[in-house]
Amino acid sequence: MAIISDIQEEQQQSSAQAKSASASASASASSSSGARVGATSFSTKFDRNNTSGFLEKALEFLAQESDFMRRPTAERDLVAIFKAVREKERKKMEEERKKRWAAEEEEKKKKEAEVKAKEEPKAEPKVVEEKKEKEVEEKSGKRVPNKGNGLDMEKYSWTQSLQEVNIIIPVPAGTKSRDIVYEAKKNRLKFGLKGQPLIIDGELYQSIKPDDCLWSIEDQTAVSILLTKHNQLEWWKALLKGDPEIDTQKVEPEPSKLSDLDSETRQTVEKMMFDQRQKQMGLPTSEEMQKQEILKKFMSEHPEMDFSRAKIQ
């Protein structure tokens, strides 16, 4: 669990300690005849396939050129820096995601406006279509997902990608980190405000990686919780078990994200998306098509056999 205000406080303390150490080192250097003066450059080749090696060399250089690694707080300072950088990257990704959603929503509204302008007298079919969709939703008991492939609940809303689940919970203005009650375990999540009934308290739909989960207060009016899925190849039907479920066949994957996946994961995701589209159109899935091809090949190789009652299971 990471609390942004705590990380910032640790960074400020680390900065003050670094300045103090720098001043002390400078004074020592000026009084010693053999001490090194001036900045020392660091140069090494960065290998994307061996980032750990690059970090190890950087830390070795830091240990050689300063007393940072000998400080009692060195490990804590490095962890605080890592968490701060990771949180900054998470916020950057979240902002990019919001911008994409905003751009897509704007484009969608523009297209809807154009269609509406052309087909204003033909509004009735749209009403019929919405009515049919609502009837299907009532019969299946599953809801249409929101724009983030999640669901808007009474006290919070959640969205998801294949890798993460993001929860936004409105809180009273001026809420501080000390007012928050938060606990994330592998299969359970608790969240609320001190002195009040919990807003979220239940068993998660699927397991998460608690050490990779974060929460932060946004503009002192909402809390954002980021959960990292353990299984990153499936869509969640609900945030908590027992909650209303969404129709996962109507989720909208982010095509731009496929390029960020490794080849094996990407093939799996593309296969899932293909099978989902096939099911929506009442067509055979990739596995069913493969079985049909095997049966056809076998039938052509054995024309003497009767396959009139053959069925693909």
Side-chain angles (χ1 to χ4, degrees):
M1 176 182 77
I3 304 177
I4 307 309
S5 58
D6 292 344
I7 292 174
Q8 292 174 342
E9 183 179 348
E10 289 180 355
Q11 287 181 312
Q12 292 171 356
Q13 292 175 353
S14 299
S15 177
Q17 291 173 352
K19 289 181 180 177
S20 176
S22 176
S24 176
S26 177
S28 176
S30 62
S31 62
S32 302
S33 58
R36 285 179 291 182
V37 180
T40 304
S41 62
F42 170 68
S43 176
T44 187
K45 185 177 180 181
F46 178 71
D47 184 358
R48 293 181 179 274
N49 297 320
N50 186 20
T51 53
S52 298
F54 175 82
L55 290 173
E56 183 178 353
K57 290 181 180 179
L59 291 175
E60 288 176 352
F61 176 80
L62 186 63
Q64 179 182 343
E65 299 297 328
S66 72
D67 66 343
F68 179 85
M69 301 301 288
R70 294 191 292 274
R71 299 177 194 167
T73 61
E75 185 175 349
R76 188 184 68 181
D77 293 343
L78 286 173
V79 171
I81 292 170
F82 168 76
K83 288 182 177 180
V85 172
R86 186 171 68 171
E87 176 62 16
K88 184 178 179 181
E89 183 65 17
R90 185 195 71 79
K91 284 192 174 183
K92 180 181 176 182
M93 292 175 64
E94 185 65 22
E95 287 297 321
E96 290 176 352
R97 187 182 296 128
K98 288 179 180 179
K99 287 180 181 179
R100 286 199 303 272
W101 287 348
E104 290 172 359
E105 183 65 17
E106 186 65 25
E107 183 65 21
K108 185 178 179 181
K109 288 181 179 179
K110 184 178 178 181
K111 290 182 178 180
E112 287 178 350
E114 292 175 354
V115 172
K116 186 177 180 180
K118 292 179 180 179
E119 302 182 0
E120 191 66 33
K122 301 179 181 180
E124 187 176 351
K126 185 178 179 181
V127 174
V128 173
E129 183 179 345
E130 290 178 352
K131 186 177 179 181
K132 287 182 178 179
E133 186 174 295
K134 188 175 181 180
E135 289 175 352
V136 171
E137 181 178 324
E138 290 175 351
K139 289 180 179 179
S140 64
K142 297 179 180 179
R143 301 186 182 182
V144 176
N146 58 23
K147 294 179 177 63
N149 296 327
L151 199 60
D152 298 325
M153 308 293 287
E154 182 180 353
K155 296 184 179 180
Y156 61 89
S157 65
W158 64 277
T159 58
Q160 67 174 318
S161 64
L162 279 172
Q163 295 79 29
E164 301 170 340
V165 172
N166 189 50
I167 310 168
I168 299 297
I169 310 162
V171 295
T175 297
K176 305 293 184 182
S177 59
R178 60 176 176 269
D179 303 322
I180 301 299
V181 176
Y182 169 87
E183 184 182 37
K185 295 184 178 180
K186 183 179 179 181
N187 295 302
R188 195 170 188 85
L189 178 66
K190 289 184 180 181
F191 177 86
L193 300 175
K194 289 183 179 178
Q196 300 183 25
L198 292 173
I199 298 173
I200 299 176
D201 182 16
E203 185 178 358
L204 292 166
Y205 186 78
Q206 287 191 19
S207 60
I208 59 172
K209 300 177 181 179
D211 293 339
D212 294 337
C213 298
L214 302 167
W215 70 268
S216 61
I217 299 177
E218 306 290 344
D219 301 325
Q220 295 187 330
T221 58
V223 171
S224 173
I225 301 177
L226 184 70
L227 305 178
T228 301
K229 295 180 179 179
H230 189 271
N231 181 351
Q232 301 189 344
L233 295 176
E234 292 185 9
W235 298 103
W236 285 17
K237 294 182 180 180
L239 177 65
L240 304 176
K241 290 185 177 180
D243 279 359
E245 294 185 356
I246 63 170
D247 187 351
T248 53
Q249 292 188 1
K250 294 185 178 180
V251 299
E252 298 179 2
E254 300 177 64
S256 58
K257 284 294 180 182
L258 292 177
S259 59
D260 299 337
L261 303 175
D262 59 80
S263 58
E264 184 178 352
T265 305
R266 180 173 179 174
Q267 289 177 3
T268 303
V269 174
E270 288 177 341
K271 178 179 177 296
M272 290 169 58
M273 293 169 61
F274 173 79
D275 289 344
Q276 180 178 303
R277 289 193 297 268
Q278 291 291 98
K279 287 180 179 179
Q280 288 178 337
M281 295 185 292
L283 299 174
T285 63
S286 55
E287 186 177 351
E288 292 169 344
M289 291 171 66
Q290 186 178 10
K291 289 181 179 180
Q292 289 177 356
E293 289 298 322
I294 293 173
L295 180 59
K296 287 180 181 178
K297 184 178 179 181
F298 186 80
M299 291 171 63
S300 63
E301 293 174 351
H302 300 276
E304 73 283 358
M305 297 178 66
D306 181 15
F307 294 95
S308 60
R309 297 184 180 179
K311 292 183 179 180
I312 299 178
Q313 299 295 330

